[in-house]
PDB file of all heavy atoms in Angstrom:
ATOM      1  N   ALA A  31       3.194  18.723   5.992  1.00  0.00           N
ATOM      2  CA  ALA A  31       2.369  19.726   5.283  1.00  0.00           C
ATOM      3  C   ALA A  31       3.143  21.014   5.100  1.00  0.00           C
ATOM      4  O   ALA A  31       3.116  21.620   4.017  1.00  0.00           O
ATOM      5  CB  ALA A  31       1.068  19.970   6.022  1.00  0.00           C
ATOM      6  N   ARG A  55      17.270  36.060 -22.248  1.00  0.00           N
ATOM      7  CA  ARG A  55      18.065  35.550 -23.375  1.00  0.00           C
ATOM      8  C   ARG A  55      17.198  35.416 -24.636  1.00  0.00           C
ATOM      9  O   ARG A  55      17.698  35.596 -25.733  1.00  0.00           O
ATOM     10  CB  ARG A  55      18.612  34.157 -23.033  1.00  0.00           C
ATOM     11  CG  ARG A  55      19.546  34.239 -21.832  1.00  0.00           C
ATOM     12  CD  ARG A  55      20.363  33.033 -21.671  1.00  0.00           C
ATOM     13  NE  ARG A  55      21.425  33.053 -22.695  1.00  0.00           N
ATOM     14  CZ  ARG A  55      22.226  32.057 -22.940  1.00  0.00           C
ATOM     15  NH1 ARG A  55      22.087  30.941 -22.289  1.00  0.00           N
ATOM     16  NH2 ARG A  55      23.146  32.159 -23.867  1.00  0.00           N
ATOM     17  N   ALA A  61      10.295  31.783 -23.866  1.00  0.00           N
ATOM     18  CA  ALA A  61      10.589  31.288 -22.520  1.00  0.00           C
ATOM     19  C   ALA A  61       9.418  30.541 -21.926  1.00  0.00           C
ATOM     20  O   ALA A  61       9.559  29.429 -21.370  1.00  0.00           O
ATOM     21  CB  ALA A  61      11.002  32.433 -21.630  1.00  0.00           C
ATOM     22  N   ILE A  65       9.316  26.437 -21.082  1.00  0.00           N
ATOM     23  CA  ILE A  65       8.941  25.884 -19.765  1.00  0.00           C
ATOM     24  C   ILE A  65       7.732  25.002 -19.878  1.00  0.00           C
ATOM     25  O   ILE A  65       7.689  23.914 -19.265  1.00  0.00           O
ATOM     26  CB  ILE A  65       8.697  27.038 -18.765  1.00  0.00           C
ATOM     27  CG1 ILE A  65      10.032  27.748 -18.467  1.00  0.00           C
ATOM     28  CG2 ILE A  65       8.066  26.555 -17.476  1.00  0.00           C
ATOM     29  CD1 ILE A  65       9.909  28.983 -17.598  1.00  0.00           C
ATOM     30  N   ALA A  91       0.660  -9.332  -8.857  1.00  0.00           N
ATOM     31  CA  ALA A  91      -0.585  -9.776  -8.228  1.00  0.00           C
ATOM     32  C   ALA A  91      -1.090 -11.043  -8.917  1.00  0.00           C
ATOM     33  O   ALA A  91      -1.573 -11.974  -8.261  1.00  0.00           O
ATOM     34  CB  ALA A  91      -1.641  -8.680  -8.257  1.00  0.00           C
ATOM     35  N   GLU A  92      -1.012 -11.058 -10.228  1.00  0.00           N
ATOM     36  CA  GLU A  92      -1.434 -12.244 -10.993  1.00  0.00           C
ATOM     37  C   GLU A  92      -0.575 -13.448 -10.629  1.00  0.00           C
ATOM     38  O   GLU A  92      -1.081 -14.572 -10.481  1.00  0.00           O
ATOM     39  CB  GLU A  92      -1.365 -11.962 -12.483  1.00  0.00           C
ATOM     40  CG  GLU A  92      -1.797 -13.114 -13.363  1.00  0.00           C
ATOM     41  CD  GLU A  92      -3.251 -13.450 -13.228  1.00  0.00           C
ATOM     42  OE1 GLU A  92      -4.066 -12.561 -12.878  1.00  0.00           O
ATOM     43  OE2 GLU A  92      -3.589 -14.618 -13.443  1.00  0.00           O
ATOM     44  N   GLN A  99      -3.402 -20.412  -6.103  1.00  0.00           N
ATOM     45  CA  GLN A  99      -4.237 -21.435  -6.724  1.00  0.00           C
ATOM     46  C   GLN A  99      -3.502 -22.772  -6.768  1.00  0.00           C
ATOM     47  O   GLN A  99      -4.079 -23.834  -6.511  1.00  0.00           O
ATOM     48  CB  GLN A  99      -4.672 -21.027  -8.110  1.00  0.00           C
ATOM     49  CG  GLN A  99      -5.767 -19.983  -8.140  1.00  0.00           C
ATOM     50  CD  GLN A  99      -6.141 -19.577  -9.545  1.00  0.00           C
ATOM     51  OE1 GLN A  99      -5.372 -19.770 -10.481  1.00  0.00           O
ATOM     52  NE2 GLN A  99      -7.330 -18.973  -9.662  1.00  0.00           N
ATOM     53  N   ASN A 103      -4.651 -26.130  -4.945  1.00  0.00           N
ATOM     54  CA  ASN A 103      -4.843 -27.392  -5.687  1.00  0.00           C
ATOM     55  C   ASN A 103      -4.018 -28.511  -5.068  1.00  0.00           C
ATOM     56  O   ASN A 103      -4.481 -29.640  -4.928  1.00  0.00           O
ATOM     57  CB  ASN A 103      -4.480 -27.206  -7.158  1.00  0.00           C
ATOM     58  CG  ASN A 103      -5.481 -26.370  -7.896  1.00  0.00           C
ATOM     59  OD1 ASN A 103      -6.606 -26.173  -7.425  1.00  0.00           O
ATOM     60  ND2 ASN A 103      -5.085 -25.850  -9.030  1.00  0.00           N
ATOM     61  N   ILE A 112      -5.360 -38.231   1.631  1.00  0.00           N
ATOM     62  CA  ILE A 112      -5.515 -38.616   3.043  1.00  0.00           C
ATOM     63  C   ILE A 112      -6.897 -39.204   3.245  1.00  0.00           C
ATOM     64  O   ILE A 112      -7.053 -40.158   3.978  1.00  0.00           O
ATOM     65  CB  ILE A 112      -5.296 -37.418   3.944  1.00  0.00           C
ATOM     66  CG1 ILE A 112      -3.833 -36.998   3.967  1.00  0.00           C
ATOM     67  CG2 ILE A 112      -5.757 -37.643   5.360  1.00  0.00           C
ATOM     68  CD1 ILE A 112      -3.512 -35.701   4.671  1.00  0.00           C
ATOM     69  N   LYS A 115      -6.898 -42.830   2.052  1.00  0.00           N
ATOM     70  CA  LYS A 115      -6.036 -43.772   2.784  1.00  0.00           C
ATOM     71  C   LYS A 115      -6.356 -43.798   4.284  1.00  0.00           C
ATOM     72  O   LYS A 115      -6.246 -44.857   4.916  1.00  0.00           O
ATOM     73  CB  LYS A 115      -4.584 -43.436   2.590  1.00  0.00           C
ATOM     74  CG  LYS A 115      -4.123 -43.666   1.154  1.00  0.00           C
ATOM     75  CD  LYS A 115      -2.694 -43.341   0.943  1.00  0.00           C
ATOM     76  CE  LYS A 115      -2.336 -43.568  -0.516  1.00  0.00           C
ATOM     77  NZ  LYS A 115      -1.009 -43.171  -0.808  1.00  0.00           N
ATOM     78  N   PRO A 117      -9.314 -42.247   6.450  1.00  0.00           N
ATOM     79  CA  PRO A 117     -10.550 -41.484   6.615  1.00  0.00           C
ATOM     80  C   PRO A 117     -10.712 -40.892   8.007  1.00  0.00           C
ATOM     81  O   PRO A 117     -11.225 -39.779   8.153  1.00  0.00           O
ATOM     82  CB  PRO A 117     -11.639 -42.426   6.285  1.00  0.00           C
ATOM     83  CG  PRO A 117     -11.051 -43.744   5.986  1.00  0.00           C
ATOM     84  CD  PRO A 117      -9.578 -43.622   6.092  1.00  0.00           C
ATOM     85  N   ALA A 120      -8.696 -37.767   8.285  1.00  0.00           N
ATOM     86  CA  ALA A 120      -9.317 -36.727   7.461  1.00  0.00           C
ATOM     87  C   ALA A 120     -10.500 -36.091   8.229  1.00  0.00           C
ATOM     88  O   ALA A 120     -10.670 -34.879   8.217  1.00  0.00           O
ATOM     89  CB  ALA A 120      -9.767 -37.279   6.169  1.00  0.00           C
ATOM     90  N   VAL A 131     -11.976 -22.201  11.900  1.00  0.00           N
ATOM     91  CA  VAL A 131     -12.738 -21.253  11.076  1.00  0.00           C
ATOM     92  C   VAL A 131     -13.892 -20.706  11.855  1.00  0.00           C
ATOM     93  O   VAL A 131     -14.190 -19.480  11.839  1.00  0.00           O
ATOM     94  CB  VAL A 131     -13.200 -21.933   9.774  1.00  0.00           C
ATOM     95  CG1 VAL A 131     -14.198 -21.038   9.047  1.00  0.00           C
ATOM     96  CG2 VAL A 131     -11.993 -22.231   8.886  1.00  0.00           C
TER      97      VAL A 131
END
Side-chain angles (χ1 to χ4, degrees):
R55 298 194 77 189
I65 291 174
E92 180 66 28
Q99 284 179 340
N103 290 342
I112 289 173
K115 293 181 182 175
V131 169

